[in-house]
Amino acid sequence: MSNSDKYPILMRLMHWLVGLLILGIISAGWYMTGLEDSVSYKYDIYHWHKSFGMLVLFLLFARLVIRWASRVPPLPDTMPGYQKKLGVLVHWLLYLFMFLVPLSGFMMSNAGGRDVPFFNLTIPGFMEKNPELAGRLHDIHVVIPYVLLGIVVVHILAALKHRYFDKPEHDVLRRML
Ligand code: HEM
Ligand code: HEM
């Protein structure tokens, strides 16, 4: 595998930055929702959760533009067709959930009649308060992040499989490092 088979540096930086952000945001979401209301810093974590969540949403758009403008290295010719297809499917599922998860959080807050923080800025709400809709979006937002996490686990296992239990030329992790 030559260096030209690597992902462009911007795509690699985005991949690892957003990957860390998402794992951090899921951990924070899980932790903060388990805290008693009396814990003084509980809603500080909500603030950071929402801000970084919106950052992931903004970075997704930048990331797709970068991807569109980049040369994505083709998968090795010797890789079986079904593996290539599965890889592409999982990657687009990851993109889809990187969109739906923060969007559902954003809409939930909006429908709940809350402005959404973005660090020290505020993203003004765009809809009337609608508790019923907020409730439905809440039901969605407390589930789909864990679906995303499940897809990420499959994604990581696939990368490890190709690195340690496959031909050296199928080690796609090298392309992303
Ligand atoms: C990549 C982006 C995001 C991820 C991965 C994520 C993930 C999560 C997770 C795992 C939970 C805990 C669910 C539970 O166990 O009950 C959660 C809760 C929550 N998220 Fe997000 N979230 C993201 C973005 C956002 C955004 C953008 C907002 C709002 C602007 C938001 C608002 C909330 C709120 C308010 C809760 C708490 C709900 C409750 O109190 O029951 N999230 N999120
Ligand atoms: C939240 C965590 C993660 C997300 C959301 C994520 C998402 C993605 C996406 C969307 C792609 C497709 C890139 C493209 O457009 O071609 C990709 C590629 C890749 N990811 Fe991740 N990733 C995450 C974590 C990881 C981790 C922890 C590993 C390492 C074990 C990893 C290894 C790879 C590799 C090797 C590729 C390139 C596959 C190829 O060569 O075609 N990812 N990732």
Side-chain angles (χ1 to χ4, degrees):
M1 193 181 279
S2 70
N3 245 355
S4 65
D5 288 328
K6 280 204 180 229
Y7 275 90
I9 182 73
L10 265 182
M11 283 190 74
R12 279 181 273 154
L13 285 174
M14 270 288 187
H15 177 267
W16 296 111
L17 171 69
V18 175
L20 285 178
L21 281 174
I22 288 180
L23 296 179
I25 296 169
I26 294 179
S27 314
W30 174 78
Y31 175 69
M32 72 191 193
T33 49
L35 291 174
E36 299 288 340
D37 264 346
S38 56
V39 175
S40 60
Y41 55 84
K42 173 167 175 164
Y43 291 99
D44 293 336
I45 306 182
Y46 272 61
H47 173 92
W48 294 112
H49 177 88
K50 293 177 181 180
S51 298
F52 280 107
M54 292 309 292
L55 181 62
V56 166
L57 186 58
F58 297 143
L59 285 178
L60 176 68
F61 296 118
R63 184 172 182 181
L64 290 174
V65 171
I66 292 172
R67 186 183 202 281
W68 171 76
S70 304
R71 183 190 162 277
V72 178
L75 286 166
D77 288 336
T78 53
M79 193 176 263
Y82 82 91
Q83 290 186 7
K84 289 186 183 174
K85 285 192 191 129
L86 265 179
V88 171
L89 174 72
V90 169
H91 293 161
W92 286 103
L93 277 177
L94 287 165
Y95 284 128
L96 179 67
F97 277 84
M98 279 189 270
F99 176 64
L100 293 180
V101 169
L103 182 73
S104 61
F106 176 60
M107 305 254 305
M108 159 175 75
S109 291
N110 262 300
R114 289 193 189 81
D115 290 338
V116 172
F118 185 61
F119 303 99
N120 53 1
L121 303 175
T122 301
I123 304 171
F126 64 90
M127 58 169 112
E128 293 284 306
K129 188 170 175 171
N130 183 341
E132 198 205 329
L133 178 63
R136 274 200 225 141
L137 289 163
H138 178 266
D139 293 343
I140 294 175
H141 190 76
V142 297
V143 172
I144 60 174
Y146 299 111
V147 177
L148 171 61
L149 186 61
I151 306 172
V152 169
V153 169
V154 170
H155 176 65
I156 295 173
L157 289 177
L160 296 179
K161 183 255 181 202
H162 288 304
R163 189 176 182 85
Y164 297 110
F165 304 98
D166 208 339
K167 302 191 183 111
E169 61 270 28
H170 291 183
D171 175 14
V172 283
L173 186 53
R174 262 212 55 202
R175 298 143 50 96
M176 203 36 112
L177 291 176

